[in-house]
Amino acid sequence: MKRYGIIGNPLGHSYSEKYFTELFAREGLDAVYHPYAIEDIESAKILIDELEGANVTYPYKEAIIPYLREVDAVASQIGAVNVVHRGKGYNTDWIGFRDSLCPLLRENDRRALLLGTGGVSKAIQYALRDLGIEFTLVSRKPEKTGGVIGYEKVDEEVMACHQIVVNCTPLGMHPYEKELADIPYSYLTREHLLYDCIYNPERTLFLQKGEEMGCRIKNGLEMLHLQADEAWKVWRRE
């Protein structure tokens, strides 16, 4: 029996076990999928050696790279891995984000504001470059990540010149639904698109704020499904 799983911490919000268990059943495969909420990244090494394939989620998408035997070209450029197959790292997050974002785009959606600079953000940056969309990064500690602005710099002018706002942080994720990225939501308009990479809960406080201002909104559930489909393609390779 082949073993698969998801590596991260926490994992209470994750739908991956249900998604892949149902997929394996439909395919009639002799395989199991389990969550592995590891306390430290060094524990991932044992799992990588034992599992046929794994999904990698917060907070290990960047930290796992040194523990892999190889990283494919795209994941190497991104600097983050969310899929492992027989010890080799891949990134399918960027495809999931790109393909779920495209149907929502309008002609004037040319600049994005990315909240957060971690592994998810890196995949989204790659996707936006692929789409020819410029972006600005926002971080709580901009001094540690060059070329990034702090949340206190996000004012009316910044909001006005970025039509897309993407939450790449875990703020608002179950069970911390009351947490929210600190940006001036009062400057949102009907011209804005708010995209939250979180999918549990379905409507985060971030998305609720956007909805109140008449924005287009999108959560991360379709991104999850699309990246999972791409992960399955990776795992099926011989």
Side-chain angles (χ1 to χ4, degrees), residues 84-100:
V84 177
H85 180 47
R86 298 175 183 171
K88 183 175 180 178
Y90 302 82
N91 192 297
T92 64
D93 276 338
W94 78 275
I95 300 174
F97 175 78
R98 181 197 63 188
D99 292 355
S100 63

Side-chain angles (χ1 to χ4, degrees), residues 51-92:
L51 299 176
E52 175 75 8
N55 297 115
V56 183
T57 190
Y58 178 85
Y60 300 125
K61 293 186 179 187
E62 299 163 278
I64 201 168
I65 291 177
Y67 296 86
L68 302 174
R69 64 172 178 79
E70 187 180 356
V71 178
D72 92 321
V74 172
S76 182
Q77 288 183 54
I78 292 172
V81 162
N82 74 298
V83 177
V84 177
H85 180 47
R86 298 175 183 171
K88 183 175 180 178
Y90 302 82
N91 192 297
T92 64

